[in-house]
Amino acid sequence: MKSSLPGEAPDYRFSLANERTFLAWIRTALGFLAAGVGLDQLAPEFATPLIRQVLALMLCLFSGGLAVYGYLRWLQNEKAMRLKEDLPYTRSLLTLSSVLMIVAAVVMGLVWYEG
């Protein structure tokens, strides 16, 4: 089957490594989605209902964004490999870590406040 991407097919090992990285983004997105659903459904006494629902919604929205970003990142890397260019640099790991740190700080603050 002919690919619709430009350039020539890279070594299959690199394509498979790129695919594994994409799947890691999807696993991370699923983790955030599970956290959002779990917070909403399994922690009815956690904070006020409004705060709990907003936090759960933020986690679920971030999850969807990560899934889309993972695909776009896979596509950029695949194109770069096919055109024999350098892989694009990303600041997404800093963003992901920052969001996770903020969510953890909010949850710790709510646990401290409720406790």
Side-chain angles (χ1 to χ4, degrees), residues 18-52:
N18 191 28
E19 185 176 324
R20 283 191 303 273
T21 303
F22 166 70
L23 293 173
W25 282 104
I26 295 300
R27 281 192 306 272
T28 304
L30 286 171
F32 275 100
L33 183 61
V37 171
L39 181 63
D40 185 55
Q41 296 297 310
L42 302 176
E45 302 298 321
F46 182 75
T48 66
L50 178 62
I51 291 173
R52 188 181 69 249

Side-chain angles (χ1 to χ4, degrees), residues 22 25-26 28-30 32 61-71 92 96:
F22 166 70
W25 282 104
I26 295 300
T28 304
L30 286 171
F32 275 100
L61 289 173
F62 189 66
S63 168
L66 275 180
V68 170
Y69 179 78
Y71 173 75
S92 59
L96 176 62

Side-chain angles (χ1 to χ4, degrees), residues 26-95:
I26 295 300
R27 281 192 306 272
T28 304
L30 286 171
F32 275 100
L33 183 61
V37 171
L39 181 63
D40 185 55
Q41 296 297 310
L42 302 176
E45 302 298 321
F46 182 75
T48 66
L50 178 62
I51 291 173
R52 188 181 69 249
Q53 289 174 350
V54 166
L55 190 56
L57 180 62
M58 286 175 33
L59 286 167
C60 291
L61 289 173
F62 189 66
S63 168
L66 275 180
V68 170
Y69 179 78
Y71 173 75
L72 295 175
R73 183 87 178 132
W74 170 84
L75 188 61
Q76 286 178 336
N77 288 341
E78 193 70 22
K79 283 181 183 177
M81 286 188 297
R82 287 174 167 273
L83 298 173
K84 299 189 184 321
E85 297 174 349
D86 290 339
L87 295 179
Y89 177 75
T90 180
R91 295 185 189 271
S92 59
L93 297 179
L94 176 62
T95 303

